[in-house]
């Protein structure tokens, strides 16, 4: 379907966009679109970094279980 599009089609679409939004609003529209893409990229990279930094969910449970059992088995301290 998109194989038949040419440069003329792109110019016509661009002209329609200019007529709808007006030439004055196009820079603000492009700026807000760019800002949205930047925010999306930072959120995705933070999400990936958080996922990589998280330890194995079963590893802390084993470590906590060992320390909890050691504190239960420890004799009471003398005052």
């Amino acid at each position: 379907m998109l194989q038949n599009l040419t440069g003329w089609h792109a110019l016509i679409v661009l002209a329609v966009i200019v007529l709808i939004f007006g030439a004055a609003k196009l820079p603000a529209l492009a700026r807000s679109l760019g800002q949205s893409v930047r925010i999306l990229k930072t959120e995705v990279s933070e999400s990936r970094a958080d996922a990589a930094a998280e330890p194995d969910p079963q590893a802390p449970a084993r470590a906590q279980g060992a320390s909890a059992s050691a504190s239960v088995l420890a004799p009471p301290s003398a005052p």
Side-chain angles (χ1 to χ4, degrees):
M1 181 170 111
L2 296 176
Q3 295 89 354
N4 296 332
L5 295 179
T6 63
W8 287 108
H9 292 110
L11 287 175
I12 292 171
V13 169
L14 183 62
V16 169
I17 290 173
V18 169
L19 287 174
I20 292 174
F21 293 108
K25 292 187 179 183
L26 285 179
L29 181 67
R31 191 176 309 116
S32 66
L33 180 65
Q35 185 178 10
S36 299
V37 169
R38 243 180 281 128
I39 290 170
L40 178 67
K41 284 182 180 180
T42 56
E43 291 296 325
V44 168
S45 66
E46 287 176 2
S47 175
R48 287 183 181 167
D50 288 346
E54 288 182 6
D56 184 19
Q58 294 178 355
R62 283 187 239 133
Q64 289 174 353
S67 64
S69 64
S71 64
V72 171
L73 298 176
S77 59

